């Protein structure tokens, strides 16, 4: 453990418990956590990747923005479905976001970044200031 906080998205809740997506677990595995052991905050952003349309949608406070998105040619097959932001650019030597994702049965990471980065998804530089404000734990939906 690094001592840094871990941000996990809540996908369900019951009195005294929250169900969260687990990092490093394939196929959307989740677990229940006692609410007395964690702090809960509400995510301000919502991200959607529409591969068929070729856009990244970012919703904040009911307003939505979109940017063109391409998949880097050298990237492995992009995992579809629900994932979340593991880390943002703060404290890392990269631009964009690091997503929790899985390729088949193997845990992996998908990055959203600009042309110069090593991201799986490439967005224009104009999107990067907005992505820099997206908090870890923010839910991301990747669709065809």
């Amino acid at each position: 453990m690094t001592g840094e906080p871990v941000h996990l998205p809540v996908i369900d809740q019951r009195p005294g418990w929250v169900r969260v997506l687990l990092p490093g677990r394939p196929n959307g595995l989740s677990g229940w956590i006692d609410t007395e052991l964690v702090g809960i905050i509400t995510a301000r952003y919502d991200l959607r990747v529409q591969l068929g349309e070729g856009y990244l949608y970012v919703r904040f406070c009911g307003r939505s923005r979109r940017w063109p998105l391409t998949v880097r040619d050298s990237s492995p097959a992009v995992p579809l479905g629900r994932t979340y932001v593991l880390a943002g650019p703060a404290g890392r030597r990269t631009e964009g976001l690091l997503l929790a994702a899985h390729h088949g049965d193997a845990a992996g990471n998908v990055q959203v970044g600009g042309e110069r980065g090593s991201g799986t998804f490439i967005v224009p530089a104009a999107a990067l200031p907005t992505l820099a404000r997206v908090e870890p734990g923010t839910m991301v939906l990747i669709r065809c």
Side-chain angles (χ1 to χ4, degrees):
M1 294 226 126
T2 63
E4 296 178 31
V6 175
H7 301 269
L8 304 172
V10 173
I11 58 173
D12 195 6
Q13 56 187 18
R14 302 274 193 281
W17 296 91
V18 290
R19 186 175 176 194
V20 298
L21 290 180
L22 299 173
R25 299 285 183 219
N27 303 321
L29 288 180
S30 61
W32 290 92
I33 298 176
D34 185 332
T35 56
E36 291 185 19
L37 302 175
V38 297
I40 298 176
I41 60 172
T42 302
R44 301 180 303 157
Y45 289 86
D46 180 35
L47 278 67
R48 193 174 77 231
V49 173
Q50 290 289 149
L51 296 172
E53 294 176 17
Y55 283 100
L56 167 67
Y57 292 86
V58 178
R59 191 172 60 200
F60 174 73
C61 294
R63 296 188 327 182
S64 185
R65 299 221 29 212
R66 74 177 188 173
W67 289 276
L69 169 118
T70 56
V71 178
R72 190 175 301 275
D73 291 338
S74 61
S75 297
V78 175
L80 301 177
R82 181 173 60 182
T83 187
Y84 61 96
V85 175
L86 274 177
R92 295 180 28 238
R93 291 185 170 172
T94 186
E95 56 187 20
L97 304 172
L98 181 64
L99 307 181
H102 301 89
H103 301 279
D105 291 332
N109 295 317
V110 170
Q111 293 186 21
V112 180
E115 287 287 338
R116 296 186 322 252
S118 60
T120 300
F121 299 126
I122 302 168
V123 295
L128 298 177
T130 298
L131 295 180
R133 293 189 297 270
V134 175
E135 303 97 347
T138 298
M139 194 71 78
V140 180
L141 185 60
I142 302 173
R143 293 185 171 169
C144 287

